[in-house]
């Protein structure tokens, strides 16, 4: 996995549903920021109010990917409980689980595995990422599935 940070830039907008309204784009940018910073309560309120749990930016990063990559297990769990897809890969083929393995975020890894994330999904997969970084404990965890 490269050192690419799956963060939306200042001009990135959602791609799940085309939006041209500046207010909608601003709302989406706020949702991505909340996911990146682990503001679980506010992000959950946005999703409960209608922001799609699988909202993506123009790089294909979902709210779940951003929360997972930045190590926010509570936010990851809240998104999963609201229908976020645990194996949805971004535009580079990376999954939230592989991102969490890359960042060594064990509480996020545990939350994703518990939600049924497939450690063999993505490119590189979480298994391949764990192999690259010699994380034998994670390989055992993934092998037990």
């Amino acid at each position: 996995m490269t050192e690419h940070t799956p963060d939306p830039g200042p001009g990135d907008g959602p791609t799940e549903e085309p939006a041209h309204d500046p207010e909608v784009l601003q709302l989406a940018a706020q949702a991505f920021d909340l996911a990146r910073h682990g503001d679980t309560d506010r992000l959950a309120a946005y999703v409960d109010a209608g922001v799609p749990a699988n909202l993506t930016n123009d790089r294909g990063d979902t709210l779940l990917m951003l929360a997972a990559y930045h190590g926010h297990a509570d936010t990851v769990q809240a998104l999963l409980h609201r229908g976020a897809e645990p194996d949805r890969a971004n535009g580079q083929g990376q999954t939230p689980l592989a991102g969490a393995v890359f960042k060594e975020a064990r509480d996020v890894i545990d939350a994703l595995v518990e939600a049924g994330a497939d450690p063999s999904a993505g490119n590189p997969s979480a298994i391949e990422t764990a192999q690259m970084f010699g994380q034998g404990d994670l390989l055992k965890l993934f092998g037990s599935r």
Side-chain angles (χ1 to χ4, degrees), residues 24-71:
V24 172
L25 293 174
Q26 182 179 7
L27 176 68
Q30 289 172 352
F32 291 125
D33 284 342
L34 295 172
R36 187 183 313 105
H37 297 293
D39 192 335
T40 304
D41 293 338
R42 287 184 57 203
L43 182 58
Y46 276 44
V47 174
D48 291 344
V51 170
N54 289 306
L55 183 71
T56 60
N57 63 19
D58 63 347
R59 296 178 189 166
D61 292 322
T62 61
L63 297 170
L64 182 64
M65 173 61 97
L66 293 174
Y69 188 84
H70 290 283

Side-chain angles (χ1 to χ4, degrees), residues 75-126:
T75 307
V76 165
Q77 289 174 334
L79 288 166
L80 290 166
H81 289 313
R82 287 165 173 78
E85 298 171 30
D87 292 328
R88 189 159 180 178
N90 66 12
Q92 293 185 320
Q94 301 162 336
T95 63
L97 184 56
V101 169
F102 177 72
K103 297 297 278 193
E104 299 181 18
R106 184 57 190 251
D107 52 346
V108 173
I109 294 166
D110 291 340
L112 289 164
V113 168
E114 184 176 309
D118 180 358
S120 65
N123 185 27
S125 70

